[in-house]
Amino acid sequence: MRALTELGIYYSKHQKSVVGTPDIVFKRKKIAVFIDSEFWHGKAHIPKKNYDYWFPKFEKNRARDIRVNSLLAEAGWVVIRFTEKEVKKDLLYCIEKILSTVFSSLNVEK
């Protein structure tokens, strides 16, 4: 999301030290952003050809996503998930959601 950098918001990408290797990581704020492919994360149609192979694979991927979300939440992380389609269709919404989460995590004393 080059758009975040253009706004002066800096982040890490693909941090292997964070469970699930999120696409975008705000480590100090404990915010993990995943941009999921509709195909690999089972949000698109399952191919009819070789269905017996693809269905369990997609189910396993979905279960992994749920497990990763849970592990991160237990460790105090905020998890945001978008599909590639959402990012392409409404980039502004995705950026606003990320920014509102980042800024709401700031502990500003009055």
Side-chain angles (χ1 to χ4, degrees), residues 9-28:
I9 306 298
Y10 295 96
Y11 56 90
S12 299
K13 294 185 337 184
H14 308 292
Q15 285 284 311
K16 292 181 181 176
S17 62
V18 179
V19 174
T21 314
D23 297 292
I24 298 172
V25 177
F26 298 92
K27 203 166 191 176
R28 286 189 205 137

Side-chain angles (χ1 to χ4, degrees), residues 63-81:
R64 184 194 61 227
D65 291 344
I66 292 167
R67 187 177 68 254
V68 165
N69 289 354
S70 178
L71 289 170
L72 286 170
E74 288 172 13
W77 285 73
V78 174
V79 178
I80 302 171
R81 282 193 180 268

Side-chain angles (χ1 to χ4, degrees), residues 2-61:
R2 191 175 326 126
L4 288 172
T5 305
E6 290 171 2
L7 292 170
I9 306 298
Y10 295 96
Y11 56 90
S12 299
K13 294 185 337 184
H14 308 292
Q15 285 284 311
K16 292 181 181 176
S17 62
V18 179
V19 174
T21 314
D23 297 292
I24 298 172
V25 177
F26 298 92
K27 203 166 191 176
R28 286 189 205 137
K29 294 175 180 29
K30 288 190 154 187
I31 300 170
V33 181
F34 293 89
I35 302 170
D36 298 333
S37 158
E38 288 83 4
F39 181 76
W40 291 111
H41 293 265
K43 296 174 180 154
H45 73 283
I46 298 171
K48 289 183 177 27
K49 186 174 182 178
N50 212 0
Y51 181 87
D52 292 338
Y53 169 79
W54 288 111
F55 183 76
K57 180 153 186 62
F58 292 149
E59 287 299 306
K60 186 173 134 184
N61 289 351

